[in-house]
Amino acid sequence: WRQSDNVWIKLDRIQFVGACNPPTDAGRVQMTDRFMRHAPLLLVDFPSQNSLMQIYSTFNGGTLKLFPNLREEVTPLTEAMVEIYLENQKKFTVDIKPQYFYSPRELSRWMRAIYE
């Protein structure tokens, strides 16, 4: 409704897109079947080790361009980051404590901290 000239507005081809973690994560609530029958669900799992290497090699390479003396360290840094991330993800699970949820966001936060 547009109040300036009292006209109904028509919207076509609108999509609402959202992202959420599984209901098994700490602090999450399962969505009702009633809601889910109206909302298509797509699961995109975490990237594989090779994908993480590709993603974070590119990300780290771009960040380390700002530090010329560290440019050659992109590959060893990325390998170490991904290895530590994957080992922690295996060792610390949500079965032990709910806050032990590891996502690739941890790698991004780590690189941002190095940059800062």
Side-chain angles (χ1 to χ4, degrees):
W1 179 256
R2 187 171 54 220
Q3 289 184 345
S4 61
D5 55 358
N6 297 328
V7 175
W8 286 104
I9 299 170
K10 181 179 177 184
L11 301 175
D12 291 326
R13 301 173 62 192
I14 301 296
Q15 292 183 2
F16 294 94
V17 179
C20 56
N21 288 343
T24 53
D25 289 354
R28 304 292 185 250
V29 178
Q30 187 165 355
M31 292 183 223
T32 65
D33 291 335
R34 182 177 180 193
F35 173 78
M36 292 305 294
R37 80 172 149 237
H38 300 290
L41 180 66
L42 172 68
L43 170 67
V44 179
D45 207 357
F46 294 128
S48 67
Q49 182 174 358
N50 290 337
S51 294
L52 287 171
M53 285 298 299
Q54 176 65 45
I55 292 164
Y56 285 96
S57 289
T58 303
F59 181 63
N60 294 349
T63 304
L64 292 182
K65 279 184 181 178
L66 302 171
F67 306 98
N69 56 334
L70 295 177
R71 282 186 189 162
E72 294 178 11
E73 304 302 325
V74 170
T75 301
L77 175 65
T78 304
E79 288 173 352
M81 288 173 68
V82 170
E83 183 180 341
I84 291 169
Y85 163 76
L86 291 172
E87 289 301 317
N88 279 331
Q89 190 180 40
K90 285 180 200 169
K91 184 174 181 178
F92 301 105
T93 65
V94 293
D95 296 333
I96 298 169
K97 289 197 177 194
Q99 64 267 29
Y100 289 166
F101 178 75
Y102 280 89
S103 76
R105 239 179 295 175
E106 309 305 328
L107 293 168
S108 300
R109 288 179 183 144
W110 189 358
M111 196 59 207
R112 189 177 59 207
I114 291 172
Y115 170 73
E116 291 174 352

